[in-house]
Amino acid sequence: MSEETEKTPDQKNSRWALPHVFVLLFGIIVFAAIMTWILPAGDFNRVTNSAGQKIVQAGTYHLVKAHPVGFFEMFKCIYLGMKDAAPVILFLFIAYGFIGLIIGSGAFDGLVAKLLRVVRGRMRVLIIPLFMTVISFASSTVGISEEALPFIPIFVGITIAMGYDAIVGLAIVSCATAIGYAGAFMNPFTVGTAQAIAELPIMSGSGFRILSHLAMIAVASLYTIRYALKVARNPQKSLVYGTKNEFAITEEELQKHPFTFRHILILLVFFAGVIALVYGCKYYGWYFTELSALFMIMGLISAILVGWNPNQIARSLEKSFRDISAACMMIGFARGILIVMQTGHIWTPSSTACSCPCPRCLSLPLRKPC
């Protein structure tokens, strides 16, 4: 495909184009490295609270020996950023790849097609608040965040087939995930940690947070529905009008999509996995290692139920790994920004970190002091 056909009408008429995300991230890394030569290096004293965790002590900021980040060391920080973000990157590869097996089975397409056959006309927008509620509650209860990324392509394809655009599909997943964190009532990574530090009973104040969460879902759903209906009436009102989407499908394709007994079994496997995820996170403290294993099991069972052979499973995983590789590299580059600022001591993490400028400590940011 030529470069000309990939450009939107606005890009063809413009001499300026938004830089690639890798260019932006690298530019920020260079800027942060330059700032280590300009800004004073500093740190805070830390104390151990009653929960046994080290926290920053207010009013104890003091200057430390400067350690400007040079040209060669800046590139070392990019690698260290990728290394430091390795758990998140590897988990994202696994979650995207094996949930991709579930999505590739067509179970979600079939479910939505079934719902569209039940609710017709303007009532089809009810699918938006339905799935936003499900995803946001998953985010609010077990802290689903990166795990929701594999669902973006499927909802983008579904909303385009419904006569909307990719923004609607993205909003269903990303807004719902953000709502789950902002209005969380038992998220172990936010509410749980905060209540443990504050020595408050687990789930205290959950009534108010549940009401706040429901209010956020209502506002986000209404806003997304309003935009979706505007695009349905006039496609040129779309923020991505003229942009080709590789996940797009037609409404006829979606409507004709079968919803078989195998699809029902796959959805049962998925929901059983979600229940196991909730139980494991709440009672056994599951995190990336356990969740990765759970996603692998769910994906493989779903692929077997749909009748795929090992080579088909491997090819699906290969494609998913290719699709998510750019996003994973973005995470590594973004973490590189943090490593540059930590190395130059112009950003102080709230967790335990060593202010010693020795090479060992500088190469192991966010680790225990030497």
Side-chain angles (χ1 to χ4, degrees):
M1 183 179 292
S2 66
E3 183 179 357
E4 181 69 20
T5 58
E6 293 179 352
K7 292 183 179 180
T8 63
D10 291 338
Q11 289 175 320
K12 293 177 183 177
N13 297 328
S14 175
R15 295 182 179 180
W16 183 87
L18 184 69
H20 192 280
V21 63
F22 288 143
V23 177
L24 291 174
L25 290 173
F26 183 74
I28 297 173
I29 290 173
V30 173
F31 178 77
I34 294 173
M35 287 297 101
T36 64
W37 292 83
I38 300 173
L39 298 177
D43 201 356
F44 285 89
N45 294 335
R46 290 170 176 78
V47 295
T48 303
N49 63 7
S50 56
Q53 297 173 319
K54 281 197 172 183
I55 60 174
V56 169
Q57 186 178 16
T60 61
Y61 179 81
H62 57 278
L63 297 178
V64 298
K65 183 179 179 181
H67 186 91
V69 175
F71 179 78
F72 186 68
E73 193 167 17
M74 178 185 71
F75 286 93
K76 288 171 56 180
C77 289
I78 296 176
Y79 168 78
L80 290 173
M82 295 180 182
K83 180 181 176 181
D84 198 55
V88 177
I89 292 173
L90 291 175
F91 174 74
L92 188 54
F93 267 117
I94 292 173
Y96 192 91
F98 284 89
I99 290 183
L101 294 177
I102 302 175
I103 294 173
S105 70
F108 284 97
D109 288 20
L111 175 61
V112 175
K114 181 68 174 180
L115 291 174
L116 288 179
R117 287 192 287 268
V118 174
V119 290
R120 298 180 179 275
R122 296 173 69 89
M123 294 297 292
R124 66 176 54 191
V125 296
L126 294 176
I127 291 176
I128 294 174
L130 172 63
F131 283 105
M132 289 188 80
T133 301
V134 172
I135 295 173
S136 66
F137 267 88
S139 176
S140 178
T141 53
V142 297
I144 285 178
S145 180
E146 296 93 346
E147 301 89 333
L149 292 179
F151 293 101
I152 292 177
I154 187 65
F155 279 103
V156 166
I158 288 170
T159 52
I160 290 175
M162 292 170 62
Y164 309 136
D165 65 3
I167 298 293
V168 178
L170 175 65
I172 290 175
V173 179
S174 59
C175 288
T177 304
I179 289 169
Y181 266 76
F185 53 88
M186 59 173 290
N187 186 326
F189 310 121
T190 54
V191 177
T193 301
Q195 289 182 334
I197 293 174
E199 298 183 340
L200 292 172
I202 299 298
M203 294 291 290
S204 62
S206 58
F208 171 76
R209 289 196 300 277
I210 290 174
L211 290 176
S212 300
H213 189 194
L214 293 174
M216 292 179 186
I217 292 174
V219 172
S221 297
L222 290 173
Y223 189 83
T224 306
I225 289 172
R226 177 176 175 269
Y227 173 78
L229 293 177
K230 180 175 69 174
V231 172
R233 288 191 298 266
N234 184 0
Q236 293 186 356
K237 295 289 186 180
S238 170
L239 296 175
V240 290
Y241 177 72
T243 302
K244 185 177 180 180
N245 192 295
E246 60 179 301
F247 303 109
I249 57 177
T250 65
E251 182 174 1
E252 290 74 19
E253 291 174 335
L254 183 61
Q255 289 276 13
K256 294 178 181 178
H257 201 286
F259 188 55
T260 65
F261 180 69
R262 287 189 178 190
H263 291 151
I264 295 175
L265 290 178
I266 291 170
L267 291 175
L268 289 176
V269 169
F270 174 77
F271 287 115
V274 171
I275 293 172
L277 186 150
V278 173
Y279 189 84
C281 290
K282 183 175 181 181
Y283 294 104
Y284 295 102
W286 284 6
Y287 202 44
F288 284 159
T289 303
E290 295 79 8
L291 297 182
S292 295
L294 179 63
F295 286 138
M296 287 188 220
I297 295 170
M298 292 165 55
L300 289 175
I301 292 176
S302 300
I304 292 171
L305 286 173
V306 83
W308 289 352
N309 61 44
N311 283 340
Q312 287 176 306
I313 296 173
R315 283 192 289 269
S316 175
L317 290 173
E318 181 184 16
K319 182 181 183 302
S320 295
F321 293 155
R322 286 199 306 267
D323 292 341
I324 200 62
S325 60
C328 291
M329 292 299 293
M330 293 176 201
I331 295 173
F333 269 79
R335 187 63 63 93
I337 301 169
L338 178 66
I339 302 302
V340 168
M341 293 191 292
Q342 288 178 357
T343 302
H345 293 290
I346 60 172
W347 184 86
T348 303
S350 58
S351 58
T352 302
C354 181
S355 61
C356 168
C358 73
R360 177 182 178 276
C361 292
L362 289 172
S363 66
L364 296 173
L366 286 177
R367 300 298 190 267
K368 292 182 179 179
C370 62

